[in-house]
């Protein structure tokens, strides 16, 4: 008897140990996965670029380099520096591939007297090599000699300005050379009221000639002086400067921000077209123009125009075909020019698509487009241009099939203030259109106005009208003998021109749409499609037409004719609103919603398209109200401000209103009868894993603690 009990107990222990082993395997997999997630988010990167590079000829054949380490090492220690050099006008060559140490100076010997040497330096860590620093140039002469071992001259022109009730900004000018070593940083001293000086910053650590003193007392006077520091030590102090923060203190004007989105495109075999956006900040003073710089191949930048005026486009002519030109643009205000924009390059050549497309918001509801015609049309004549608007990375909708003119401008009106719109343009010929142009974006704002010298009126060959909006509430009702009766409502906007007819498209099954009626030629909002096959499913959409062209299509409507007469379904009264909560697939969220006219089936987040998909069964037109946590999905502009969502009902843009809060954005989305899916596009969606994974890990550990305890007990009883 005892033997049987012992054998049975041993079998239990073995089974339990097998389960324990399985638990260990599961926990190990969880830990490996979570560790990978952590490492994926904390992997080091290559360092930032070095700063403050200077080059000094210390003899007729020797140049000394000095620079500062990057502010960010990328999470991995700096191990050395790569040094490159070029003798103008040649291209860069590697002088030292890796110094192998963290020293931030280098001596270049055996240089040629009288030559212009240009240098740049990159930082190296275990991950890779940084982008290069700014350039420094030195030209050794027969009289070049080492600097004297003396401290630098005092800085000049020190000013102190109260830029807030609790902050003062100091600005000074770098000292003139006294033959000593170059300035590397500054010492800042301060006294309060009539007190004595104390050191505010013993060493600023960089060559920046500005300093901000924060946390001050409003109404108290502060006095400052600054000393320059080099390798020998600190020099004499500058002049004194005093400021008193007041409740009304505000920053003075500064240089503007840099222009945005510079693009360069070949306009012909000898021309390059430039376009850019205004800076996000004018620095507190109006923009008065733009400085444009250009370089050819590997040469250094030269000023193409010191001030092109207050425009956001420029044509560079007289260029060499096949040669690449690179550009950068700086904004100018009363304080001075900004830092340069991004670089943009183009090579003058024949073009087969429209180029240089620009979009400018010229009013709170209007965007003006302009572009250059292709230079190569292969003997075909351009009959007009197709204009399309981008909905997301894979979807464009047609604004106008053809402008019907060779003019290279078009005005899009009736837009939503504060919403960013992106366009492309294609050249149209008989029976076909070219590939699209570059993309161009603009955002109408309450202060949008035409650039100086322009008006918001479209060109003479284009009216102020636009194609009409989509018809709404399209319904399809099957009848017999086999037919489908269509009905819809006129669009809410006629685009500024009277509706003259409707285009009706149809498809059967999974086929693509074909045009059933090009233009009904009447404002009647119904149509009967006869001669159909019983039992076959037909799907329809309708577009309104005005003098500009056809607008966007309506919602889809589907019907299947039967042999027997099918009476029209009675008009449905929208159902009463219902509330619920549903989990969002691929996330930890569950979302509360209110909906009328539909039943919500599922919600799913898609990181690839930054969207939230809501599946539903809709029995009538209705409204879905859904609060969206910003941590789940949000729409943000590059500078961090809220952008607008794109909302589609069965792939057609639909109307919605929005209420914004700090932690959420609530959308009220209108949808037509028959809607199966609403998709909300933002700029980011949360990752799929987070706190849930942590909870799984905790649960796994708890399981193992419990299992280990049980094992010890079973082993005890087995004896």
């Amino acid at each position: 008897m005892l033997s049987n009990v012992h054998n049975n107990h041993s079998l239990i222990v073995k089974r339990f140990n097998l389960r324990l082993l399985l638990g260990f395997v599961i926990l190990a997999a969880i830990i490996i996965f979570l560790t990978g997630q952590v490492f994926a988010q904390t992997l080091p990167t290559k360092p930032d670029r070095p700063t403050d590079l200077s080059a000094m000829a210390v003899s007729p054949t020797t140049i000394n380099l000095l620079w500062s380490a990057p502010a960010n090492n990328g999470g991995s220690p700096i191990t050395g520096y790569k040094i490159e050099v070029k003798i103008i006008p040649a291209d860069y060559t590697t002088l030292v591939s890796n110094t192998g140490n963290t020293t931030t100076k280098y001596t270049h010997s055996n240089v040629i007297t009288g030559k212009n040497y240009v240098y740049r330096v990159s930082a190296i860590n275990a991950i890779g090599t940084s982008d290069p620093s700014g350039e420094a140039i030195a030209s050794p002469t027969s009289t070049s000699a080492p600097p004297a071992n003396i401290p630098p001259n005092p800085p000049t022109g020190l000013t102190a300005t109260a830029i807030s009730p609790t902050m003062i900004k100091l600005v000074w000018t770098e000292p003139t050379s006294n033959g000593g070593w170059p300035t590397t940083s500054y010492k800042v001293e301060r006294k309060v009221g009539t007190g004595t000086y104390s050191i505010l910053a013993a060493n600023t650590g960089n060559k920046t000639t500005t300093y901000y003193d924060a946390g001050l007392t409003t109404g108290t006077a502060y006095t400052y002086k600054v000393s320059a520091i080099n390798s020998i030590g600190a020099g004499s102090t500058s002049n004194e400067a005093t400021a008193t923060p007041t409740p009304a203190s505000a920053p003075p004007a500064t240089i503007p921000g840099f222009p945005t989105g510079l693009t360069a495109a070949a306009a012909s075999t000898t021309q390059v077209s430039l376009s850019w956006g205004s800076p996000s900040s004018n620095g507190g003073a109006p923009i008065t123009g733009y400085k444009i710089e250009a370089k050819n191949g590997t040469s250094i930048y030269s000023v193409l125009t010191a001030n092109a005026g207050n425009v956001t486009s420029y044509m560079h002519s007289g260029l060499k075909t096949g040669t690449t030109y690179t550009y950068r643009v700086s904004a100018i205000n009363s304080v001075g020019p900004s830092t340069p924009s991004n670089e943009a390059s183009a090579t003058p050549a024949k073009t087969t698509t429209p180029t240089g497309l620009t979009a400018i918001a010229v009013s709170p509801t209007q965007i003006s487009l302009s572009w250059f015609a292709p230079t190569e049309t292969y003997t075909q004549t351009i009959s007009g241009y197709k204009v399309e608007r981008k909905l997301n990375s894979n979807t464009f909708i047609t604004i106008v099939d053809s402008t019907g003119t060779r003019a290279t401008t078009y005005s899009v009106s009736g837009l939503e203030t504060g919403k960013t719109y992106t366009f492309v343009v294609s050249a149209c010929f008989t029976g076909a259109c070219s590939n699209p142009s570059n993309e161009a974006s603009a955002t109408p704002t309450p202060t949008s106005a035409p650039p100086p010298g322009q008006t918001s009126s479209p060109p003479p060959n284009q009216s102020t009208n636009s194609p009409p909006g989509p018809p709404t509430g399209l319904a399809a009702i099957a009848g017999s003998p086999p037919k489908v009766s269509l009905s819809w409502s006129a669009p809410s906007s006629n685009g500024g021109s009277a509706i003259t007819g409707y285009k009706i498209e149809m498809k059967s099954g999974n086929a693509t749409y074909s045009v059933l009626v090009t233009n009904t030629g009447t404002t009647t909002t119904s149509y009967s499609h006869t001669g159909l096959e019983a039992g076959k499913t037909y799907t329809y959409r309708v577009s309104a037409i005005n003098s500009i062209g056809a607008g966007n299509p309506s919602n889809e409507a589907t019907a299947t004719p039967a042999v027997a007469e099918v009476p029209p379904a009675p008009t449905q009264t929208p159902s009463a609103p219902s509330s619920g909560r549903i989990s969002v697939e691929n996330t930890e969220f569950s979302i509360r919603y209110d909906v009328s006219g539909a039943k919500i089936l599922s919600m799913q987040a898609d990181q690839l398209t930054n969207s939230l998909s809501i599946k539903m069964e809709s029995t009538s037109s209705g409204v879905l109200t859904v609060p969206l946590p910003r941590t789940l999905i949000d729409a943000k502009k590059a500078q961090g401000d809220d952008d607008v969502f794109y909302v589609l009902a069965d792939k057609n843009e639909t109307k919605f209103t929005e209420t914004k809060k700090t932690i959420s954005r609530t959308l009220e989305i209108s949808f037509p009868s028959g809607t199966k899916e609403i998709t909300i596009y933002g700029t980011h969606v949360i990752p799929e894993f987070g706190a849930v994974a942590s909870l799984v890990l905790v649960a796994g550990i708890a399981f193992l603690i419990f299992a280990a305890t049980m094992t010890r007990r079973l082993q005890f009883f087995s004896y």
Side-chain angles (χ1 to χ4, degrees), residues 595-609:
V595 66
S596 61
K599 176 183 178 182
I600 302 301
L601 303 178
S602 67
M603 290 189 189
Q604 182 174 5
D606 188 340
Q607 290 177 272
L608 183 62
T609 59

Side-chain angles (χ1 to χ4, degrees), residues 262-266 268-274 293-299 301-302 304 316-328 343-349:
L262 174 65
T263 61
S268 74
T269 54
T270 59
Q271 293 178 305
V272 167
S273 166
L274 305 178
E293 298 173 277
K295 66 179 180 179
N296 174 355
T298 59
S299 64
Y301 276 106
S302 61
L304 181 59
H316 190 193
S317 303
L319 305 179
K320 184 177 180 180
T321 304
T323 298
T324 300
Y325 296 84
T326 302
Y327 304 86
R328 65 186 185 188
E343 293 184 336
S345 299
T347 304

